[in-house]
Amino acid sequence: MSVVIRDFKANLTDERIAEVESCLEIIFPTDYKQFLLQHNGGYPEPGTFTIGHGPEESQISYFFSIQEDETSNLLEMIKLTKGQIPRNMLPVAYDDVGNLILLGVSGDQTGQVYFWDHEQENGNDRNNGKASLSFLADSFKSFLESLY
């Protein structure tokens, strides 16, 4: 089944993405960068995914965009989650109950997609949020393709 992205923002340039990458001192995986250029946020239809090996599932509420005045702003979400999620992860979406979809941006997890359960998060977590993670996909593209 093909995923359609609704209510997206578009109008994002390579130059703006490069500015954000420089500001964050990271390089976005190529497939995520392509998603931002084409859609810059939005909600997927269908948007359901399986957490880990199942049977639990969730629904994406919205992919974050790079927009200054947007409530689903990627840069604002990064600020809000600093110290709660692993440092090598980028929040790219949230589900219908406030959990996050994370994208690895450095180390062995580069390009991989994870589910971060905010209810499992412990403010004193010495693993910097890693105990709350469930693997979802090897790449952002394969994650999108897995939605049902």
Side-chain angles (χ1 to χ4, degrees):
M1 180 180 291
S2 181
V3 174
V4 176
I5 306 297
R6 305 264 186 226
D7 193 30
F8 58 90
K9 306 301 175 203
N11 298 323
L12 194 61
T13 64
D14 284 314
E15 292 78 17
R16 179 64 178 134
I17 290 175
E19 286 174 16
V20 171
E21 289 175 320
S22 177
C23 176
L24 298 174
E25 298 179 348
I26 60 171
I27 301 295
F28 294 143
T30 303
D31 55 355
Y32 181 62
K33 196 179 296 190
Q34 290 300 322
F35 174 83
L36 288 173
L37 286 169
Q38 187 173 3
H39 302 290
N40 191 22
Y43 66 89
E45 290 181 347
T48 302
F49 60 94
T50 302
I51 300 169
H53 298 293
E56 191 176 356
E57 58 184 30
S58 188
Q59 176 84 27
I60 292 180
S61 183
Y62 204 83
F63 284 106
F64 300 121
S65 64
I66 298 175
Q67 296 283 112
E68 301 304 321
D69 60 346
E70 192 61 35
T71 56
S72 296
N73 183 331
L74 174 65
L75 302 175
E76 284 301 312
M77 187 53 62
I78 291 169
K79 289 178 191 174
L80 288 172
T81 59
K82 188 174 183 176
Q84 294 179 328
I85 63 173
R87 287 183 282 273
N88 67 329
M89 298 280 173
L90 180 74
V92 295
Y94 59 93
D95 74 2
D96 51 2
V97 293
N99 298 306
L100 296 173
I101 308 305
L102 305 178
L103 180 63
V105 292
S106 67
D108 293 342
Q109 296 168 318
T110 299
Q112 295 178 345
V113 180
Y114 290 83
F115 175 80
W116 181 75
D117 186 339
H118 74 279
E119 292 176 6
Q120 300 296 319
E121 191 263 337
N122 178 350
N124 299 318
D125 185 0
R126 293 178 186 216
N127 293 320
N128 194 25
K130 290 182 181 172
S132 307
L133 295 179
S134 296
F135 177 81
L136 295 176
D138 284 320
S139 69
F140 187 76
K141 181 180 178 185
S142 63
F143 174 67
L144 286 177
E145 292 170 349
S146 75
L147 296 175
Y148 58 95

